Amino acid sequence: MWKYILKRLLMMIPVLLGVTFLVFFILNMTPGDPAAIILGDQATPEAIAQLREELGLNDPLLIRYVRYIIDMLHGDFGESYKNGISVAAQVLDKFPNTAVLAVAGILVALVIGIPVGIISARKQYSALDNTSMVLSLLGVSMPNFWLGLLLSLLFALKLGWFPSQGMGSGFVPLLRSLVLPAITLGTGSAATVVRMTRSSMLEVIRQDYISTARAKGLDEKVITKRHMFRNALIPIVTAVGLQFGTLLGGAMLTETVFSWPGLGRLMVDSLNSKDIPMVLGSVLFMTIMFSFVNLAVDIVYAFIDPRIKSLYSKAGFKKRRVVVA
Amino acid sequence: MNGKELLKIEDLEIRYETDDGIVYALNGVSLHVNEGETLGLVGETGAGKTTLAKGILRLIQTPPGKIVNGKVYFEGKNVLAMSDHDLHQVRGNAISMVFQDPMTSLNPVMTVGEQIEEVIAVHNNSLSKEEIRERAIAMLKRVGISADRIDEYPHQFSGGMKQRVIIAIALACNPKLLLADEPTTALDVTIQAQVLDMINKLKTEMNTAMILISHDLGVVAQTCDRVAIIYAGRIVETGNLRDIYKNPKHPYTVGLLDSIPSLTRDTKRLKPIKGLMPDPTNLPSGCPFAPRCNYASSACSEAVPELTDRGNGHLVRCIKDISGKEGQ
Ligand SMILES: Nc1ncnc2c1ncn2[C@@H]1O[C@H](COP(=O)(O)OP(=O)(O)O)[C@@H](O)[C@H]1O
Ligand SMILES: [Mg+2]
């Protein structure tokens, strides 16, 4: 097991290199001169040229990339072009805010998604199942920011129940400010979790060992919990993990709609101002978060399914899942 | 051996309503099983054997399955009309079932111990955790698995060992009736006899009655007191083992006997039954075996024959009066 974890951690290195490489080149290919953006409209061409020289922007792209990687390996992610503050400090400063929102969002998704998915599967084609399928289709296809705007209009601006902007400080204000963005984020994920739970449960319901469980004289509640749900869990954990990994990287649109001071907004701001070190640092961080969640999901598998556990501990075991970055 | 009547099935009809039409899986089956005896239920794949066994315990999935008609009396009480609560008391406790495929019949994420303990626990509220575990270990030993494997998972067992675990689960609460649905069909030929012998030994020790389902009259010959032959969802012949083997009266039974190498009276003339069972979504109005039958006449396709008594509880669903000897 430990060997497996170590192997997975090592596998993250090429993924991270690949991601930085891609982002680095794409950002440098887009129009706009960072030096001009930093100095603003009034800057003289001489000043811009001088700043370009200082920032090393005149060197060939590949050299700059190698330089960036070398600095990165020393733990230096550079400074923001915009305000000169260290990228690492800013990312770490915003991350807790995003994490709080991500946890709240995924809780909303779980609390709605799992029970509705289970009931839908157990009562397949019932009115309840049909309703939840239509709603979840709606939830999957509805853009997050649009739902966010609607919620904000109704519950913040019109009814005034919750704040529409920012993150409250202190426990109760924090909770109040979390409600709308968490629901906004959570409904999309909930819809995915409902669909995944339902389809995974439906697969399990038809298995022979469920007949065995019934033939033992167990009641349906026990069968659902002990026999069906645990066997249906792997695809559900995968879906939840993917959702959570994405949320941890910062929900750009939702954070922007609710002015949530998280990674997502930091990223949007940095993109707008072509703050390359900032964008690179944030993307790198998101990738790391996503990979960690993925790894956690794979470890959780082993606790759910003994067959996977024995697979992990077997020598010569091959990579089973592609890390999506 | 012939105790009093334990199970009595009357006119059981079960259908599956599918997109391709209604499958008439069971069309009025009546049977009985006495305490302690073994009834062999024999028929081709698709004859309705599994449907019958599941129907007894109300394990038919609805939809698509539906019990349309009939009664299943167990110790005088109709299982089909019981409350869910009473039904749960019967399942796994008074009547248990061993399914056809051991590879898929155990829960892959629970240890075999947990799966045996579970059935003991649900039917014995007064037992402590330790007592339940002791019983599970004892049961495991009885089916020939060493106690130290109790915390292993199904994937660590071979097919034959899995079937032993399933048998341990089925017998853990000392049932009065065991429904064994082709318990050895999915196993390697080399271990089929072992498992079958073990089932027989245990059911005799525990005085458990059994319905042993098989598509092989040869398997049934070694173990059963009585035999019922099922064809297209109907019992076509039933009687004592001896009557069925020595004096088969239904052309289908004769055909089945002729297709068993070891039992054929003349091994040179081993012959499979020609043709196929009729489509259960579209059964003929007459005798469903008529299209394959060497003795069929026009009268056979007019109506489904009634089961008639040929003496000594030997019932036959055929308008002809043939004997196995003539069939040769
Ligand atoms: N769940 C089901 N849905 C539709 N048809 C079924 C289902 N289960 C069994 N059947 C049909 O019912 C008939 C009897 O099946 P079964 O009882 O499994 O036969 P056996 O056990 O004798 O092979 C077959 O024609 C089979 O295709
Ligand atoms: Mg079957």
Side-chain angles (χ1 to χ4, degrees):
Chain A
M1 190 83 196
W2 288 110
K3 247 170 107 181
Y4 171 73
I5 294 175
L6 189 72
K7 206 164 160 184
R8 285 290 303 272
L9 287 175
L10 289 176
M11 265 161 52
M12 276 168 67
I13 294 173
V15 171
L16 292 178
L17 281 177
V19 167
T20 42
F21 184 82
L22 265 178
V23 176
F24 194 89
F25 280 89
I26 290 173
L27 280 178
N28 279 291
M29 237 107 80
T30 51
D33 182 352
I37 294 171
I38 295 169
L39 292 176
D41 295 343
Q42 317 294 321
T44 61
E46 294 76 32
I48 291 176
Q50 196 193 342
L51 188 61
R52 283 187 64 86
E53 195 58 42
E54 278 171 27
L55 292 173
L57 290 174
N58 291 330
D59 297 333
L61 210 55
L62 215 55
I63 304 253
R64 283 161 54 204
Y65 176 68
V66 171
R67 197 188 293 143
Y68 180 78
I69 296 294
I70 291 172
D71 285 349
M72 193 181 90
L73 291 178
H74 289 91
D76 177 7
F77 296 89
E79 284 89 35
S80 160
Y81 283 168
K82 211 166 58 184
N83 52 22
I85 302 174
S86 131
V87 167
Q90 290 197 62
V91 167
L92 291 180
D93 182 47
K94 301 292 183 198
F95 175 63
N97 302 346
T98 287
V100 166
L101 183 55
V103 169
I106 212 72
L107 280 181
V108 170
L110 289 177
V111 166
I112 300 173
I114 303 268
V116 173
I118 290 177
I119 297 169
S120 266
R122 299 258 15 198
K123 309 234 182 293
Q124 195 187 5
Y125 304 135
S126 66
L128 198 142
D129 180 31
N130 291 335
T131 314
S132 87
M133 279 303 95
V134 170
L135 285 182
S136 74
L137 188 63
L138 212 71
V140 171
S141 38
M142 186 167 45
N144 258 346
F145 72 92
W146 184 70
L147 174 67
L149 284 175
L150 287 185
L151 288 177
S152 181
L153 276 176
L154 179 61
F155 293 103
L157 302 181
K158 195 160 165 86
L159 297 172
W161 291 355
F162 304 105
S164 69
Q165 301 283 301
M167 179 175 164
S169 57
F171 188 65
V172 175
L174 175 64
L175 275 189
R176 275 170 48 89
S177 66
L178 259 177
V179 172
L180 294 182
I183 291 176
T184 304
L185 275 185
T187 38
S189 300
T192 308
V193 174
V194 168
R195 300 179 80 81
M196 192 50 93
T197 305
R198 177 179 181 272
S199 71
S200 180
M201 283 290 287
L202 281 176
E203 197 138 302
V204 170
I205 280 174
R206 308 189 201 300
Q207 296 293 319
D208 287 346
Y209 54 79
I210 300 302
S211 293
T212 305
R214 287 216 174 87
K216 285 177 175 179
L218 303 175
D219 70 53
E220 288 297 317
K221 263 193 205 135
V222 175
I223 294 175
T224 305
K225 251 195 306 199
R226 203 185 289 160
H227 290 271
M228 292 177 184
F229 186 61
R230 248 196 95 189
N231 276 289
L233 212 47
I234 294 238
I236 300 174
V237 168
T238 311
V240 171
L242 280 175
Q243 297 290 326
F244 189 57
T246 313
L247 295 189
L248 268 188
M252 287 191 242
L253 293 173
T254 307
E255 288 189 359
T256 305
V257 168
F258 290 98
S259 303
W260 192 265
L263 278 183
R265 247 189 78 207
L266 181 65
M267 179 103 156
V268 172
D269 291 348
S270 317
L271 271 171
N272 283 339
S273 55
K274 211 157 192 273
D275 192 345
I276 295 178
M278 216 42 248
V279 176
L280 267 174
S282 321
V283 171
L284 207 60
F285 187 80
M286 287 178 191
T287 313
I288 293 173
M289 277 301 127
F290 203 91
S291 304
F292 271 125
V293 172
N294 250 310
L295 178 58
V297 164
D298 277 5
I299 293 170
V300 170
Y301 284 172
F303 288 96
I304 299 172
D305 192 332
R307 288 166 298 185
I308 295 179
K309 192 171 200 166
S310 67
L311 208 67
Y312 284 177
S313 32
K314 257 181 220 151
F317 148 74
K318 298 259 175 351
K319 178 172 71 172
R320 209 173 34 78
R321 263 165 45 99
V322 180
V323 182
V324 197
Chain B
M1 205 63 170
N2 277 345
K4 57 181 217 272
E5 193 172 83
L6 184 67
L7 179 82
K8 187 177 178 62
I9 302 173
E10 281 179 4
D11 216 19
L12 190 58
E13 272 180 65
I14 298 179
R15 291 175 195 161
Y16 297 98
E17 291 168 0
T18 69
D19 295 340
D20 303 326
I22 299 175
V23 180
Y24 294 87
L26 226 53
N27 306 299
V29 166
S30 300
L31 273 183
H32 72 277
V33 181
N34 295 330
E35 280 176 357
E37 80 169 351
T38 300
L39 171 73
L41 180 68
V42 181
E44 288 168 79
T45 300
K49 306 180 297 292
T50 301
T51 304
L52 175 57
K54 284 189 164 177
I56 292 170
L57 276 176
R58 263 163 71 185
L59 289 170
I60 302 286
Q61 290 248 14
T62 315
K66 197 169 175 188
I67 301 181
V68 192
N69 190 20
K71 299 188 172 88
V72 175
Y73 292 105
F74 180 76
E75 295 187 313
K77 271 183 275 178
N78 185 0
V79 177
L80 302 187
M82 273 179 188
S83 68
D84 282 354
H85 178 264
D86 290 350
L87 178 67
H88 291 161
Q89 305 287 310
V90 170
R91 286 178 177 170
N93 192 25
I95 309 179
S96 39
M97 181 157 177
V98 169
F99 293 92
Q100 199 162 342
D101 187 358
M103 303 314 281
T104 55
S105 296
L106 288 171
N107 185 335
V109 303
M110 286 170 75
T111 64
V112 299
E114 284 168 342
Q115 299 189 56
I116 302 173
E117 285 162 21
E118 183 176 46
V119 68
I120 300 171
V122 76
H123 295 297
N124 299 277
N125 294 326
S126 57
L127 291 183
S128 72
K129 260 204 155 86
E130 292 71 32
E131 288 168 316
I132 289 170
R133 193 166 171 88
E134 268 168 38
R135 277 209 197 182
I137 289 174
M139 206 55 233
L140 210 53
K141 284 187 190 154
R142 280 187 92 165
V143 296
I145 297 176
S146 75
D148 57 7
R149 302 200 64 182
I150 192 163
D151 292 322
E152 291 184 15
Y153 289 92
H155 73 272
Q156 294 165 287
F157 289 76
S158 66
M161 294 299 249
K162 280 193 187 118
Q163 195 63 303
R164 284 168 191 264
V165 172
I166 292 165
I167 291 163
I169 292 172
L171 296 178
C173 293
N174 222 326
K176 294 192 173 144
L177 176 64
L178 176 67
L179 309 172
D181 186 6
E182 308 206 32
T184 60
T185 303
L187 303 180
D188 287 347
V189 181
T190 46
I191 52 173
Q192 287 186 353
Q194 268 180 31
V195 171
L196 204 60
D197 286 348
M198 190 198 69
I199 295 178
N200 267 315
K201 184 173 142 269
L202 291 177
K203 74 142 284 226
T204 310
E205 283 172 16
M206 298 173 137
N207 194 30
T208 301
M210 170 162 80
I211 298 183
L212 177 64
I213 294 176
S214 179
H215 60 259
D216 183 354
L217 257 177
V219 166
V220 164
Q222 305 159 27
T223 47
C224 296
D225 304 302
R226 285 191 305 117
V227 179
I229 312 286
I230 185 169
Y231 187 81
R234 284 196 183 85
I235 303 297
V236 294
E237 182 162 11
T238 174
N240 293 329
L241 182 68
R242 216 189 135 71
D243 286 337
I244 299 290
Y245 279 86
K246 297 286 182 222
N247 190 18
K249 290 287 187 190
H250 196 284
Y252 181 59
T253 315
V254 174
L256 283 178
L257 285 166
D258 278 347
S259 59
I260 311 169
S262 58
L263 288 171
T264 324
R265 280 136 285 195
D266 179 357
T267 32
K268 270 174 281 173
R269 296 179 57 192
L270 181 70
K271 47 189 178 191
I273 306 172
K274 61 180 201 273
L276 294 171
M277 220 174 51
D279 176 4
T281 57
N282 185 21
L283 290 174
S285 55
C287 171
F289 187 62
R292 303 169 75 181
C293 182
N294 291 330
Y295 307 91
S297 61
S298 59
C300 291
S301 44
E302 274 163 21
V304 179
E306 293 297 316
L307 267 182
T308 52
D309 196 337
R310 311 288 171 97
N312 195 22
H314 188 175
L315 307 180
V316 183
R317 195 185 287 279
C318 181
I319 55 174
K320 306 274 169 176
D321 186 17
I322 65 151
S323 87
K325 300 282 185 306
E326 287 167 36
Q328 288 299 298

